[in-house]
Amino acid sequence: VDIPHVHRVSPANAGLKTPNPKLLKIQLGLGCNYSCSYCSQGGHKEEGIQTAVRDVVDFTDLLAAIESAPDQVELWGGEPLLYWKKIKSLVPKLRDRWPSARIGLITNGSLLDDEKVDFIKEHGLRVTISHDGPGQARRGADPFDDPEWVRVVRRLYDECGLWFNAVLSAGNLDGGEIIAWLQDKMQRPVGVNKEGVVQDHGRDAQLSKEDLDALKVKTFIGIVTGKLHNVPHVRQKLDIFFGSLAYSVPKEAVAQKCRMDQPDHLAVDMAGNVITCQTVGADGPHKIGHLSDLSAVRLNTATHWAGRPSCGSCPVLHLCQGSCMILNDAAFEETCRHDFAYNKGILMGALYFLTKKVLQEIIPLDEAPKKRRIIPIKLVSEVVPC
């Protein structure tokens, strides 16, 4: 199979954006009613461009630059429900323009009420609520403590469907426990996805060595016991691993984890500015162009994994996909530690499915000829009941 190589974006090797995006992310604003201790937007909130409901018409006019309907449109904040009047004005216009597109809303959910559920149902929005289950305290107040909110969110699930998204962070590293906690609170078999492990964006995010060891083991156990089999994020990574083996996918074909380095992934704010991704604002270094001239957009604010000295020989590169492309220096190095432990747990699970053995050691290629030995491994049945 001839697998095309990806463009390796960097400040010196800018990427382009197509007028036919498959995914369009619309940032409504960077305001939020929570203050998550590990917020990826924490250092960018001052970069947000202020817009109002009256700007929706001009914004939707600018969308004429997009030549074909995206497969998916996502509404982001900050907290998007703070911008409810914008949503009520914008969504019908998006539906009129692109009736077949899936429209998603990514929210902390705390501001949900019956009026919003009615609107979500009427316009067929797909809602994802960011909630960390038993680790919610790192985000802020837990809306599950409010019985009225619980009634509303159960109604949303029953009538429209609903997913939860969780971040793995210190003290909250077991994906299986998070799923069980949320399903117990919902009293329904609600789907739970994972945004992955916490990244270091300059706030309370660092994991200790003990945390990293626990993360690796809990991820591995969750995979081999089946507790994480219904998590799309995990299934996708396993598919990537097995696909890379089946089709001999070269590392040169590996795009970034978020895929915002790809031409057909586009993020814009309500003023029509094209931005690196939805976590940043246009009043700063991450404005890369404008909808009025997509041909002039240049993604020169990110670094593909090929520009990181540690990535090219990493055994979990196909799973990690280079981590966050906008991080640099110490923040990237810390995030790399987190992603390596998490993805090593997934690699261990994938190898167990192939061999029924537990990975014990990874030998660098330049050392393997010197050792010339079989790496000792344990049967997983000695460690985990399957």
Side-chain angles (χ1 to χ4, degrees):
V1 179
D2 185 18
I3 302 174
H5 294 183
V6 299
H7 182 81
R8 300 180 174 192
V9 300
S10 71
N13 190 30
L16 307 178
K17 295 295 178 180
T18 175
N20 299 287
K22 293 180 180 177
L23 174 62
L24 174 64
K25 298 186 177 185
I26 301 174
Q27 184 200 87
L28 301 171
L30 289 176
C32 189
N33 60 330
Y34 273 29
S35 183
C36 300
S37 65
Y38 54 73
C39 180
S40 60
Q41 294 182 329
H44 300 282
K45 289 188 176 180
E46 300 304 316
E47 300 172 2
I49 300 293
Q50 299 298 316
T51 57
V53 178
R54 63 178 177 273
D55 298 312
V56 169
V57 172
D58 289 341
F59 172 72
T60 51
D61 287 345
L62 287 169
L63 292 178
I66 296 177
E67 296 173 357
S68 60
D71 295 336
Q72 184 162 330
V73 179
E74 295 177 354
L75 305 180
W76 289 83
E79 169 44 48
L81 294 183
L82 285 177
Y83 304 97
W84 184 241
K85 291 182 179 180
K86 282 185 189 177
I87 290 174
K88 291 198 331 183
S89 176
L90 174 63
V91 167
K93 294 178 175 59
L94 293 176
R95 275 279 173 244
D96 288 343
R97 182 178 292 273
W98 300 315
S100 64
R102 301 186 301 272
I103 302 179
L105 178 70
I106 296 85
T107 171
N108 62 40
S110 61
L111 301 177
L112 283 169
D113 55 30
D114 283 312
E115 176 203 349
K116 294 181 178 67
V117 172
D118 290 340
F119 182 88
I120 289 166
K121 183 177 180 179
E122 178 184 358
H123 295 282
L125 303 187
R126 302 184 178 199
V127 178
T128 299
I129 294 180
S130 298
H131 194 291
D132 288 351
Q136 179 67 8
R138 281 185 172 268
R139 289 190 185 269
D142 189 349
F144 276 107
D145 292 338
D146 179 359
E148 173 62 12
W149 186 86
V150 173
R151 181 193 65 79
V152 170
V153 79
R154 286 175 177 171
R155 179 194 163 207
L156 174 61
Y157 175 81
D158 291 341
E159 298 182 12
C160 307
L162 168 68
W163 278 84
F164 284 92
N165 252 5
V167 174
L168 301 173
S169 60
N172 194 42
L173 298 169
D174 191 323
E177 287 184 1
I178 295 172
I179 293 170
W181 191 96
L182 286 166
Q183 290 184 344
D184 177 67
K185 291 289 187 179
M186 287 291 293
Q187 292 295 294
R188 286 152 175 77
V190 64
V192 181
N193 203 357
K194 290 195 296 184
E195 297 176 34
V197 62
V198 65
Q199 298 180 334
D200 185 358
H201 287 264
R203 304 191 72 194
D204 180 21
Q206 295 189 358
L207 299 181
S208 67
K209 182 181 182 304
E210 292 74 21
D211 288 331
L212 296 175
D213 289 341
L215 173 63
K216 176 185 67 178
V217 172
K218 289 177 184 296
T219 301
F220 167 64
I221 292 174
I223 289 173
V224 300
T225 58
K227 293 179 180 178
L228 300 181
H229 283 185
N230 290 324
V231 176
H233 175 82
V234 174
R235 287 206 314 269
Q236 181 186 40
K237 283 181 175 286
L238 291 172
D239 287 345
I240 286 171
F241 176 77
F242 294 125
S244 69
L245 295 181
Y247 299 105
S248 300
V249 177
K251 63 183 181 182
E252 291 80 8
V254 177
Q256 288 299 125
K257 177 174 66 175
C258 63
R259 299 191 64 82
M260 291 305 295
D261 62 325
Q262 297 298 288
D264 59 3
H265 281 47
L266 185 67
V268 300
D269 68 12
M270 290 293 295
N273 297 303
V274 181
I275 47 182
T276 306
C277 67
Q278 76 280 2
T279 66
V280 297
D283 189 14
H286 285 284
K287 177 180 177 178
I288 60 174
H290 196 268
L291 276 172
S292 60
D293 190 3
L294 280 174
S295 64
V297 170
R298 295 293 181 270
L299 176 59
N300 57 5
T301 52
T303 301
H304 182 265
W305 63 260
R308 316 279 193 183
S310 59
C311 288
S313 60
C314 179
V316 298
L317 173 62
H318 283 71
L319 298 172
C320 171
Q321 298 174 284
S323 191
C324 179
M325 68 183 192
I326 68 172
L327 292 179
N328 291 295
D329 304 323
F332 177 81
E333 295 301 323
E334 183 64 28
T335 298
C336 176
R337 292 173 62 244
H338 298 183
D339 277 331
F340 181 80
Y342 175 56
N343 287 289
K344 187 176 181 182
I346 294 175
L347 175 64
M348 291 171 67
L351 290 175
Y352 170 73
F353 287 138
L354 289 176
T355 67
K356 294 299 185 284
K357 307 287 186 180
V358 179
L359 174 68
Q360 295 290 88
E361 184 181 3
I362 299 174
I363 299 176
L365 286 175
D366 58 352
E367 296 179 18
K370 302 174 187 176
K371 294 194 174 184
R372 293 188 181 279
R373 64 181 178 85
I374 297 174
I375 302 170
I377 54 181
K378 295 179 181 178
L379 290 172
V380 76
S381 58
E382 298 175 11
V383 184
V384 183
C386 295

